[in-house]
Every structure is written in C-alpha cells, then in structure tokens.
C-alpha cells in the first residue's frame, strides 16, 4: 500500500499539471486571440504525445524496464510547464503542450506497471487506486487554476513547477523500490505468463476494448476542452465559475474510477464495462436541454458512470495479454 499510494499521489500530481492546460484555455484565447480551431490543435498536440506515444513507451519498457524513467518523464513535464508560463507565441504554446504530453506518455505505462506489481493480486483495486489519483489530479487542475491563473495569469502556471519537483523526488524513491523489488517480480510474472485464449479471440477482444476506451476518452477530451466555453456562452457564468463546474465533473470521474475497480473484482469486469458504456447515454441526451443547475447534476452522474469502466478495461486487457503490462496500460 505505501508504494500504491505513492504512485497514485504522483499520478495526482501528473494529471493535475496536465489539466492546467485546458483549464487556462479561456485565458490563452483572450490573451493571444486564439480561435477554437487553434484551441483544438493545442489539445491535439498535447494528446498526440500524451496518448499516442504511450503504447510505444509501454512496448519498449516491457522488453527492457527502466525504473528511473518515471522521474525522467516528470522532468519533461516540468520543462513544458515552465515554457507554457512564458510562451508568448502560438508555436511555443504547441511546443509546451508537446513536452507536457511527453512527460505523461513516459509516466503512465510504467506507473501502471508499478501499481500492478504492488497489487498483491488485487489488480482491480490497485488500478482503481492508481487511476483515482490521476482523476483527482485532473479535477484539482481546473480548481487550482480558478485561483492561481485567475490571480496571476499565464505566468502563474510556473508555480506548478513545484508540484513537478515534488513528483520527481517521490518517483526517484519509487524507482529505487522498482529496481530492488519490482524487476524480480517482472521476471517471475513473465515466466508464468501464458495466453489462455486463441490469438484470434484475444485480438477481437482487444479491438473491442480499444474502441470502448477511444469512445470514452473522446468524450472526456471534448468535455474538458470545451465545457467551460459552453457554460460561459450558454449561461453567462464567469471563468472561475465555469472552472468550478469542470472541477465537479472531473471529481465525479475520480469517484467513478474509485468504485469501478472493486466492483469489477466482485461482479465481473464485463458487467461493469457495459453498464458504464450504456448507462451514461440517456443523461448525455438530456444535457443540451438542461438549465445550469441540472447541467451540473447531469455532468456529475455522467462522470461517475462513464469512469467506472476505466480500471475494469485496463485489468481486462492485461489479463488478455499477460506479460505485456506496459503496452496494455499505454
């Protein structure tokens, strides 16, 4: 549990720093006169390195684990945040987003592996604890930005560098544990790994899981990028108030993630996954017709239901592809 809580705490720091990027979009749009297309391209640049590189990083780390790569990834995040606080042009904003995303792509596969190594066999619970750290950080990003960036503007982003430095210190300790205890567990797990299903069935199952996770993250990325703009335009709320609503939604995502892993361990992962996918549909269809109060209520319900499948999907895929924990997490 100390290792699990440490890696979940670093996940909180990592995702809180990532969440600052969409949280300051209204400030960047006003200060640099950006269009919605340019805002979307910043998200694309960030997600390109943060998401699309993760499977490659995981694949390489499955072959040759690097215990201290976690701290190295946080260094890239630190560099991106400092550049973001100083960027006076659109090109530098894109570069800053790429660096923060690079740090995230290095962190997530290896940190997910550490969570599984420390799970003691309770893989769903371990993934929930790990994922809820990240979701809590994603929720705290807009909340902290509502105060820090509102008071200090774009330069206030530099203050998040202190979080990156704290994360580097903790991840160095985790890297030492990984080196002395985790590598032996990886070798033991690889020796015992064997595919329980035919390759065709595994491939089809992984494809379905990829489609499901794509749909959920497409939804999540769209909400986090544009929800504040929607609230400001539709209900004439202030930027800090819109960021508070985004915090409530992302807090609900954290709560749903925490519940999803243990529920999957107890009732089966497929039940949790399909409930999550289908359960948020009616609330989503109601969302455009709701007033401000019910918009808040509906987004909280959507966040809880949608996020409950995250740990179940990851553990399900890791069970389908034993010995490829990093690649699957990516």
């Amino acid at each position: 549990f100390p290792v699990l809580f440490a890696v979940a705490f670093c996940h909180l720091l990592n995702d809180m720093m990532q969440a600052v990027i969409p949280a300051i979009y209204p400030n960047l749009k006003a200060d640099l006169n950006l269009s919605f297309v340019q805002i979307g391209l910043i998200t694309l640049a960030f997600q390109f390195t943060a998401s699309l590189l993760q499977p490659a990083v995981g694949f390489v780390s499955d072959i040759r684990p690097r215990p201290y790569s976690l701290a190295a990834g946080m260094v890239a995040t630190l560099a991106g945040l400092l550049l973001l606080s100083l960027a006076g042009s659109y090109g530098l904003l894109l570069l800053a987003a790429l660096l923060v995303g690079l740090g995230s792509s290095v962190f997530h596969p290896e940190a997910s592996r550490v969570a599984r190594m420390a799970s003691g066999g309770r893989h769903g619970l371990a993934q929930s604890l790990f994922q809820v750290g990240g979701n809590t950080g994603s929720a705290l990003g807009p909340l902290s930005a509502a105060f820090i960036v509102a008071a200090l503007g774009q330069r206030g982003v530099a203050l998040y560098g202190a979080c990156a430095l704290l994360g580097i210190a903790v991840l160095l300790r985790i890297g030492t544990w990984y080196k002395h205890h985790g590598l032996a567990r990886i070798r033991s797990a690889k020796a015992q790994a064997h595919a329980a299903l035919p390759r065709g069935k595994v491939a089809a199952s992984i494809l379905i899981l990829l489609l499901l996770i794509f749909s959920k993250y497409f939804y999540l990325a769209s909400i986090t990028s544009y929800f504040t703009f929607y609230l400001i335009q539709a209900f004439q709320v202030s930027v800090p108030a819109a960021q508070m609503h985004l915090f409530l939604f992302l807090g609900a995502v954290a709560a749903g993630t925490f519940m999803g892993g243990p529920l999957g361990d107890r009732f089966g992962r497929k039940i949790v996954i399909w409930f999550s996918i289908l359960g948020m549909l009616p609330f989503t269809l109601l969302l455009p017709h709701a007033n401000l109060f019910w918009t808040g209520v509906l987004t909280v319900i959507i966040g809880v239901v949608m996020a409950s499948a995250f740990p179940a999907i990851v553990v399900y895929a890791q069970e389908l592809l034993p010995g490829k924990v990093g690649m699957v997490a990516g």
Side-chain angles (χ1 to χ4, degrees):
F1 277 110
V3 174
L4 271 177
F5 286 132
V7 77
F9 174 67
C10 290
H11 199 186
L12 182 153
L13 294 176
N14 181 82
D15 285 23
M16 181 177 73
M17 292 181 290
Q18 289 182 69
V20 170
I21 296 178
I24 66 168
Y25 279 169
N27 302 76
L28 295 176
K29 187 176 188 298
D31 293 343
L32 299 178
N33 195 28
L34 303 181
S35 68
F36 283 117
V37 172
Q38 289 175 308
I39 293 290
L41 288 174
I42 295 174
T43 299
L44 177 63
F46 165 70
Q47 293 289 357
F48 179 80
T49 51
S51 299
L52 297 182
L53 284 183
Q54 281 194 42
V57 172
F59 178 78
V60 172
S61 64
D62 283 333
I63 298 171
R64 188 177 177 182
R66 292 171 173 82
Y68 293 105
S69 63
L70 288 163
M74 195 66 77
V75 172
T77 299
L78 173 60
L81 288 171
L82 294 177
L83 181 59
L84 181 61
S85 70
L86 300 172
S89 67
Y90 186 64
L92 287 178
L93 283 178
L94 290 177
L95 179 59
L98 287 168
L99 283 171
V100 175
L102 178 63
S104 180
S105 70
V106 173
F107 173 83
H108 280 99
E110 280 293 78
S112 182
R113 185 200 307 281
V114 170
R116 189 174 178 88
M117 286 189 295
S119 69
R122 299 175 69 183
H123 302 310
L125 174 63
Q127 278 300 321
S128 274
L129 286 173
F130 171 67
Q131 296 287 351
V132 81
N135 293 142
T136 304
S138 295
L140 290 175
L143 180 65
S144 60
F147 298 99
I148 295 174
V149 180
L152 301 176
Q154 184 181 344
R155 293 188 181 276
V157 175
L159 293 178
Y160 291 92
C163 297
L165 290 172
L166 176 59
I168 291 167
V170 176
L171 289 172
L172 286 172
R173 293 292 300 275
I174 291 175
T176 301
W177 178 87
Y178 188 162
K179 181 178 179 180
H180 294 295
H181 301 282
L183 291 176
R185 299 184 189 198
I186 291 173
R187 287 191 289 267
S188 175
K190 283 185 176 180
Q192 299 173 17
H194 63 280
L197 295 170
R199 291 183 65 180
K201 192 163 190 178
V202 169
S205 300
I206 291 292
L207 178 61
I208 292 171
L209 292 175
L210 283 172
L211 290 172
L212 295 180
I213 206 79
F214 175 84
S215 71
K216 296 173 92 57
Y217 272 103
F218 189 99
Y219 191 111
L220 187 60
S222 299
I223 289 283
T224 52
S225 293
Y226 294 112
F227 188 44
T228 52
F229 293 112
Y230 170 71
L231 293 172
I232 292 168
Q233 180 176 329
F235 304 111
Q236 291 77 51
V237 301
S238 66
V239 172
Q243 289 169 333
M244 288 294 294
H245 276 80
L246 182 58
F247 162 72
L248 289 175
F249 169 72
L250 294 172
V253 170
T257 301
F258 182 74
M259 293 186 290
L263 287 173
D265 284 341
R266 181 166 184 179
F267 297 109
R269 312 201 199 286
K270 281 197 284 189
I271 292 174
V272 173
I273 291 169
W274 287 119
F275 167 76
S276 172
I277 295 296
L278 300 175
M280 68 179 184
L281 179 60
F283 304 106
T284 301
L285 293 175
L286 288 170
L287 195 57
H289 310 289
N291 61 23
L292 180 61
F293 171 78
W294 285 108
T295 294
V297 172
L298 289 171
T299 52
V300 166
I301 296 172
I302 290 167
V304 170
V305 174
M306 178 181 68
S308 61
F310 285 176
I313 289 174
V314 172
V315 175
Y316 201 122
Q318 288 174 339
E319 291 170 350
L320 286 168
L321 291 171
K324 299 187 183 299
V325 172
M327 186 182 74
V328 168

